[in-house]
Amino acid sequence: MRIWGPLTAICLGTFMLLVDVTIVLVALPAMSESLGSSLSQLQWVADGYALAVAASLLGAGMLADLHGRRRMYAGGLVVFALASVACALSPGMAALIAARIVQGLGAAAMFTTTLSLISTLYSGRRLALAFGTWAAVAASASALGPILGGLLTQSLDWRWIFYVNVPVTLIALTMTFRYIPRTAPPVRDTRRLDVPGLVLFAIGAGGSVYALTEAHVQGWASAGTLVPLGAALGAFVAFLRVQQRRRHPLLDLSLFRRPAFTAAMLTIAIGEGAVYGIMPYTSLWLQSVQHLSPLAAGLVVLPHAAAAASVAVLGGRRRLKASPRHGAALGLALAGLGVGAEGFLGPESGWPVLVGGLALSGVGMGLIFQVAAALALTSVPAEHAGTASGTYSTFEQLGYAVGVAAFGALTVSTTTTSLRGEVTDPALTARTLTGGGADTLLSHTPATQRAGLEHTLHAVFATGHNTLALTAGSVALAGSALVLWLSRQPRKERPTAPGETTTDTRSATAAIK
């Protein structure tokens, strides 16, 4: 158990926190039916968690350095478990969203310490084995979330997607105290938590996502959209200025002077936003329009999950010979083609039309998970590996949160446009339909008109989903070209021969492992 005890404790926490990003996707219609909700509230169930993780990762990483990694990891487990119980017991959407945000704070405390714990507990071949195992767990978790969510929602109730976290957390916590040694913080570390930077970043991220989420309800030109958007932009500008002046900033802006590092951040943010940002609406189409059960909807996503996990695992075992820059660009291109292939639904289309695109996007995301972190870490000096790792995880979660919000705004506007001339109140109908309320709309329609309205709703939702998929695919393909250009190798540098590893690459790769 010297090898597997600590690694199991770390991987259990990693699996839970990443599964909870996507496990809610197939449960959204059940939540809507149980608690009553609008599309924007359903978006916040998914986004509140990811946004809390993204906004607090950098601060959690610094606190872990100051107060000990094991302590931070264990504290994150406790907060995560308590918040999971609060999610399960939520009497309404507001309470559920608030609990999800707290759950995200606990997840950030866990996430920020996983790689650093592995790098301090293992070395040599054990380090490679530990990192390969962790990478496989991380790649599988997000993809398996919808399947587990569907199984629990259909077999028990949507609240069990949160209850199930409690026993797993208790096991992880017990193993943490038993197998992971206590890490003492540096005695002479004079750093202090950058509270102004943390607050400004949270306002910027939260304000921008809030504006995107509420735009389809209040209108793009309304004060309810423009005020939070302006506040978010102002907060981001102030955050950048604060970071430039701080001796120990939350975000080391100098890292972005390295094009390959910037390319890595774009790769994971665009991949998460494009592929997983449209999945909430795919789930709503499968359940509210196609009338699949939660489990069946989760199984439709199985080709994506299997492809992503397989590519990540095989890539880790066989050490892909392709350079990280080419792997990142190829991953985004495949993800873009896969998502774009999901954009050809018709009124009579069934779920099989999605399978090929889901599988191809899974291959792309598996490749991205495998190489994007390596590109980030090998592009910076080894002493900046910890900061690079935290920044990478922040961009990963922020990309997902922005993707869900942006594509939500797009689907409502597209659906509203398609419904004009078809129904009396296209805006209200669009919000109800995209919130999973197709059956509600049909139940309030006279029996003689239901068949016609059902065909219209099928066509309109398909059109909206096609717009999302084709837009997401185009963004990913454009991102692929940009990543390839940004991470190009300067001519004056001698290319590394196949199988050859430089000293800087070895040290940086070891740091992420």
Side-chain angles (χ1 to χ4, degrees):
M1 292 294 287
R2 288 184 179 179
I3 298 176
W4 297 108
L7 188 59
T8 302
I10 293 169
C11 286
L12 279 174
T14 301
F15 184 80
M16 277 195 309
L17 72 91
L18 291 177
V19 157
D20 267 62
V21 176
T22 56
I23 197 171
V24 301
L25 298 183
V26 296
L28 292 177
M31 292 177 185
S32 178
E33 183 180 352
S34 172
L35 302 178
S37 64
S38 62
L39 175 63
S40 60
Q41 289 176 317
L42 292 177
Q43 286 177 269
W44 275 110
V45 173
D47 255 2
Y49 178 84
L51 189 59
V53 174
S56 55
L57 263 174
L58 296 175
M62 182 175 285
L63 285 174
D65 289 340
L66 294 175
H67 301 291
R69 296 185 181 100
R70 191 185 77 160
R71 181 181 298 177
M72 179 61 66
Y73 183 70
L77 283 168
V78 172
V79 172
F80 186 87
L82 294 176
S84 295
V85 173
C87 288
L89 297 175
S90 297
M93 290 301 293
L96 177 58
I97 293 168
R100 282 283 283 173
I101 292 173
V102 177
Q103 191 185 36
L105 297 178
M110 296 153 59
F111 202 13
T112 195
T113 53
T114 53
L115 288 176
S116 55
L117 281 172
I118 289 176
S119 66
T120 56
L121 292 172
Y122 301 96
S123 60
R125 292 184 178 179
R126 289 184 176 183
L127 180 59
L129 175 62
F131 179 67
T133 304
W134 178 90
V137 169
S140 305
S142 295
L144 289 173
I147 300 171
L148 297 176
L151 180 62
L152 291 169
T153 301
Q154 183 173 330
S155 303
L156 299 169
D157 182 72
W158 66 263
R159 298 179 188 273
W160 279 92
I161 67 175
F162 300 113
Y163 279 133
V164 74
N165 290 333
V166 178
V168 181
T169 302
L170 291 176
I171 295 172
L173 194 61
T174 301
M175 297 189 73
T176 296
F177 286 122
R178 182 172 181 179
Y179 295 111
I180 298 179
R182 182 178 301 173
T183 53
V187 178
R188 296 185 179 180
D189 197 330
T190 58
R191 290 181 297 169
R192 294 290 182 273
L193 180 63
D194 181 9
V195 176
L198 187 61
V199 171
L200 287 170
F201 185 79
I203 293 174
S208 57
V209 171
Y210 178 84
L212 289 171
T213 302
E214 294 298 319
H216 60 78
V217 178
Q218 304 190 36
W220 284 100
S222 67
T225 300
L226 295 178
V227 170
L229 188 59
L233 293 175
F236 275 134
V237 171
F239 172 75
L240 294 177
R241 290 182 177 177
V242 168
Q243 298 308 288
Q244 288 174 337
R245 296 172 184 173
R246 299 283 293 191
R247 184 177 178 183
H248 301 293
L250 278 177
L251 183 63
D252 188 350
L253 299 179
S254 66
L255 297 180
F256 289 91
R257 295 173 188 163
R258 301 169 181 268
F261 181 82
T262 303
M265 299 303 107
L266 288 173
T267 299
I268 191 61
I270 293 174
E272 284 280 336
V275 174
Y276 297 116
I278 73 166
M279 276 197 177
Y281 316 107
T282 303
S283 177
L284 289 170
W285 179 76
L286 289 170
Q287 293 186 63
S288 67
V289 176
Q290 295 294 304
H291 300 292
L292 295 184
S293 66
L295 177 57
L299 290 174
V300 170
V301 191
L302 183 59
H304 176 92
S310 298
V311 170
V313 172
L314 289 175
R317 286 183 177 178
R318 299 196 175 187
R319 300 297 184 109
L320 292 176
K321 294 182 179 180
S323 68
R325 63 185 288 266
H326 289 125
L330 178 61
L332 272 179
L334 293 175
L337 291 172
V339 172
E342 298 172 36
F344 296 94
L345 303 179
E348 308 302 326
S349 294
W351 62 265
V353 75
L354 296 177
V355 173
L358 285 168
L360 185 57
S361 67
V363 172
M365 287 308 297
L367 191 56
I368 287 172
F369 289 141
Q370 182 62 33
V371 301
L375 179 61
L377 269 293
T378 55
S379 64
V380 302
E383 60 268 21
H384 292 289
T387 302
S389 177
T391 306
Y392 174 86
S393 299
T394 298
F395 271 74
E396 179 180 6
Q397 297 304 316
L398 195 57
Y400 173 79
V402 171
V404 170
F407 287 124
L410 180 60
T411 192
V412 174
S413 63
T414 303
T415 304
T416 303
T417 302
S418 300
L419 284 169
R420 284 182 183 142
E422 302 288 343
V423 295
T424 355
D425 191 342
L428 178 61
T429 305
R431 288 197 294 271
T432 305
L433 177 62
T434 54
D439 288 339
T440 302
L441 291 170
L442 291 172
S443 66
H444 288 81
T445 303
T448 54
Q449 302 175 19
R450 283 180 190 170
L453 179 61
E454 185 173 13
H455 182 273
T456 298
L457 296 182
H458 279 223
V460 166
F461 208 118
T463 300
H465 187 274
N466 292 345
T467 302
L468 296 188
L470 293 173
T471 302
S474 300
V475 169
L477 289 172
S480 174
L482 180 59
V483 163
L484 194 60
W485 179 77
L486 279 174
S487 59
R488 67 194 185 283
Q489 191 175 36
R491 293 181 181 178
K492 63 180 181 180
E493 292 184 6
R494 180 179 65 85
T496 302
E500 180 185 356
T501 309
T502 65
T503 302
D504 287 345
T505 301
R506 283 198 303 269
S507 58
T509 305
I512 189 174
K513 292 176 181 177

